[in-house]
């Protein structure tokens, strides 16, 4: 006879991109609480308390049961510290499986500890590849996939990547995109950007922003840690603002580099609204109403495709090719002429129309839950038969 709760799942979050992905998973696990016991652990990789509270409150994520409080550090220091603090948790909880998300340092750190202790790993958002090993996230993706027992993919090409890398097909499940679950669930609650414009007062050209704007995000080390690259991008953004006002929530890392490199004079235009990091509902509202988005974020490439908003990606590659082949995304790198040509095209034609990819329908988390329940039942049956 099956026990009432067949799966004790320890869910890991560590950084802002994880928050949007865990919200629908925790919500759906709660709907299956008769069979799934879910524990939420926050590693503290992103340690800004106000940002964490904003996202957890807005997305209705339950307060973490465990917070490792790791904080900042180099990739090596952060990864090692998470592993050291995570191992005793596993020894105490003895979960059925550890569920990790995406490609941040917390993902690979917790997956490594779990697999070395014989605890199965579940990877949500598996198989995405940029084929750029210069990105720390790419290393995290590849290694996590290799040691995972269940791999949940967001697009069909991800399965092809995993099969080429020797992952057995029976471990791979195409379920769709939990980021889009969150977007669809919260779309009606998105904040109206006009409130931000009003709050800015005379610092911006109010009439210009109310007539349409572009949204900018920049945080990738390859873009913001290199003074020449950052100056090139900010110079081009300054020029673009003359055609289309820009809203620019500035990542803390980018703020630091702008000051360090003496580039603040490039963001003084009344047609650039410079903001501190925003909550999820604020960002969703700004994306929803933008004429275009300029970004180096992977998640925003997906969200703009789901919203049908043209996206110009300021990177040389993307690990989310479906946003290009089916969605609204155009990858241009940091070449000023390519960036300008893409902006001109969007303003002249409306840009790529795209379509919403398969299974980006708001039901990915439910598919994940159903696979986990069936998988856990199978493990129990095998144990009973062996006994």
């Amino acid at each position: 006879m099956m026990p009432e709760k067949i799966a004790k799942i320890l869910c890991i979050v560590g950084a802002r991109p994880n928050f949007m992905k865990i919200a629908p998973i925790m919500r759906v696990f709660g709907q299956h609480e008769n069979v799934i016991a879910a524990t939420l652990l926050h590693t503290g990789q992103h340690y800004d308390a106000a940002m964490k509270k904003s996202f957890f409150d807005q997305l209705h994520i339950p307060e973490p049961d465990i917070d490792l409080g790791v904080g900042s550090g180099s990739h090596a220091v952060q990864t090692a510290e998470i592993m050291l603090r995570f191992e005793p948790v596993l020894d105490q909880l003895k979960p059925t499986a550890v569920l990790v998300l995406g490609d941040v340092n917390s993902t690979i750190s917790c997956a490594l500890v779990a697999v070395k202790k014989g605890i199965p790993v579940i990877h949500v958002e598996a198989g995405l590849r940029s084929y750029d090993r210069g990105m720390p996230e790419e290393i995290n993706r590849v290694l996590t996939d290799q040691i995972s027992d269940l791999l949940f993919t967001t697009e069909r090409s991800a399965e092809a990547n995993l099969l080429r890398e020797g992952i057995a097909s029976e471990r791979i499940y195409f379920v769709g995109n939990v980021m889009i679950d969150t977007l669809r669930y919260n779309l009606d609650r998105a904040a109206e950007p006009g409130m931000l414009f009003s709050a800015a007062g005379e610092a911006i050209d109010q009439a210009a922003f109310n007539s349409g704007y572009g949204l900018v995000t920049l945080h990738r080390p390859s873009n913001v840690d290199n003074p020449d690259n950052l100056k090139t991008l900010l110079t081009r953004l300054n020029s673009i603002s003359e055609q289309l006002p820009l809203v620019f929530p500035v990542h803390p890392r980018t703020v630091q580099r702008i000051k360090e490199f003496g580039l603040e004079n490039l963001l003084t235009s009344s047609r650039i609204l410079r903001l501190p990091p925003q909550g999820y509902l604020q960002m969703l509202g700004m994306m929803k109403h933008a004429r275009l988005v300029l970004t180096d974020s992977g998640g925003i490439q997906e969200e703009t495709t789901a919203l049908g908003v043209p996206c110009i990606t300021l990177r040389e590659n993307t690990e989310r090719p479906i946003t290009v082949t089916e969605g609204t995304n155009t990858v241009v790198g940091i070449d000023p002429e390519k960036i300008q040509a893409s902006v001109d095209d969007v303003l002249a034609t409306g840009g790529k129309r795209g379509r919403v990819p398969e299974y980006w329908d708001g039901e990915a988390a439910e598919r994940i839950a159903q696979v986990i329940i069936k998988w856990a039942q199978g493990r129990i049956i095998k144990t009973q038969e062996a006994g």
Side-chain angles (χ1 to χ4, degrees):
M1 183 175 177
M2 292 285 182
E4 185 178 348
K5 300 225 177 177
I6 64 169
K8 292 167 55 180
I9 307 299
L10 179 56
C11 302
I12 311 300
V13 294
R16 177 172 173 161
N18 292 162
F19 301 158
M20 288 87 84
K21 296 165 190 171
I22 201 61
I25 292 173
M26 294 301 294
R27 184 169 62 249
V28 167
F29 281 0
Q31 294 166 2
H32 293 282
E33 61 183 355
N34 60 319
V35 289
I36 296 177
T39 299
L40 183 61
L41 180 147
H42 186 3
T43 66
Q45 177 183 330
H46 277 186
Y47 54 92
D48 185 302
M51 182 189 74
K52 176 256 181 186
K53 185 179 188 312
S54 168
F55 274 76
F56 274 58
D57 288 350
Q58 289 188 358
L59 299 178
H60 302 150
I61 304 170
E63 194 63 23
D65 301 286
I66 302 161
D67 192 329
L68 299 184
V70 169
S72 63
S74 69
H75 285 287
V77 168
Q78 198 172 64
T79 300
E81 193 63 36
I82 293 169
M83 293 176 74
L84 285 169
R85 298 189 190 192
F86 185 56
E87 184 172 26
V89 174
L90 286 186
D91 291 337
Q92 178 185 355
L93 295 184
K94 297 180 172 57
T96 308
V98 169
L99 183 148
V100 296
L101 305 139
D103 52 23
V104 299
N105 286 340
S106 298
T107 302
I108 183 60
S109 303
C110 294
L112 276 171
V113 176
V115 76
K116 284 177 176 287
K117 298 184 80 66
I119 297 171
V121 174
I122 300 168
H123 188 198
V124 175
E125 198 181 77
L128 297 179
R129 297 290 181 269
S130 67
Y131 295 100
D132 177 3
R133 293 294 177 94
M135 294 176 64
E137 297 90 346
E138 183 78 353
I139 306 299
N140 294 344
R141 293 178 202 118
V142 172
L143 295 180
T144 302
D145 286 339
Q146 284 295 323
I147 58 178
S148 294
D149 294 77
L150 291 177
L151 299 97
F152 293 114
T153 62
T154 60
E155 56 180 87
R156 296 281 184 187
S157 67
E159 180 173 0
N161 294 336
L162 294 170
L163 293 174
R164 278 195 300 272
E165 293 169 10
I167 307 294
S169 60
E170 59 267 23
R171 290 158 55 193
I172 305 169
Y173 295 86
F174 172 45
V175 294
N177 195 329
V178 290
M179 283 271 288
I180 308 308
D181 286 18
T182 294
L183 183 148
R184 288 181 175 274
Y185 188 80
N186 290 285
L187 194 56
D188 291 341
R189 301 171 57 229
E192 290 296 320
M195 298 172 64
L196 290 169
F197 305 154
S198 298
E202 295 180 0
I204 64 168
D205 183 341
Q206 293 275 347
F209 278 88
N210 288 325
S211 297
Y213 63 90
L215 176 65
V216 178
T217 78
L218 285 175
H219 76 282
R220 293 281 174 190
S222 59
N223 281 339
V224 304
D225 288 357
N226 182 306
D228 292 333
N229 289 353
L230 184 56
K231 182 177 181 180
T232 295
L233 287 168
L234 294 181
T235 300
R236 180 51 51 184
L237 292 176
N238 204 38
S239 298
I240 291 168
S241 72
E242 296 174 8
Q243 297 172 271
L244 180 71
L246 298 176
V247 180
F248 188 5
V250 191
H251 190 280
R253 180 192 196 104
T254 310
V255 170
Q256 183 180 347
R257 296 297 183 262
I258 289 170
K259 290 180 180 177
E260 185 180 324
F261 303 148
L263 301 174
E264 288 160 307
N265 63 305
L266 294 174
L267 293 175
T268 58
S269 169
S270 64
R271 293 174 64 87
I272 298 178
L273 174 55
R274 181 174 171 176
L275 298 171
Q278 298 293 298
Y280 179 78
L281 295 179
Q282 286 73 31
M283 284 298 295
L284 182 57
M286 286 189 286
M287 275 190 287
K288 177 181 177 182
H289 295 287
R291 290 185 66 184
L292 59 83
V293 176
L294 296 127
T295 188
D296 57 11
S297 161
I300 287 178
Q301 294 172 48
E302 294 178 325
E303 290 167 326
T304 48
T305 278
L307 292 168
V309 174
C311 179
I312 298 170
T313 294
L314 307 174
R315 288 166 46 187
E316 300 298 332
N317 50 55
T318 179
E319 65 281 359
R320 293 162 167 85
I322 201 167
T323 64
V324 176
T325 57
E326 296 187 18
T328 59
N329 187 20
T330 302
V331 179
V332 298
I334 64 169
D335 181 286
E337 293 184 4
K338 290 182 179 178
I339 296 170
Q340 188 64 59
S342 290
V343 170
D344 290 343
D345 177 64
V346 172
L347 296 181
T349 70
K352 294 171 70 172
R353 300 296 188 270
R355 68 180 183 88
V356 177
E358 182 182 10
Y359 276 4
W360 289 24
D361 57 2
E363 300 295 329
E366 177 61 33
R367 295 186 192 100
I368 288 169
Q370 293 299 329
V371 172
I372 290 173
I373 291 169
K374 186 175 180 180
W375 170 81
Q377 288 173 335
R379 283 171 56 86
I380 291 170
I381 291 170
K382 287 180 182 178
T383 300
Q384 291 173 342
E385 291 175 345

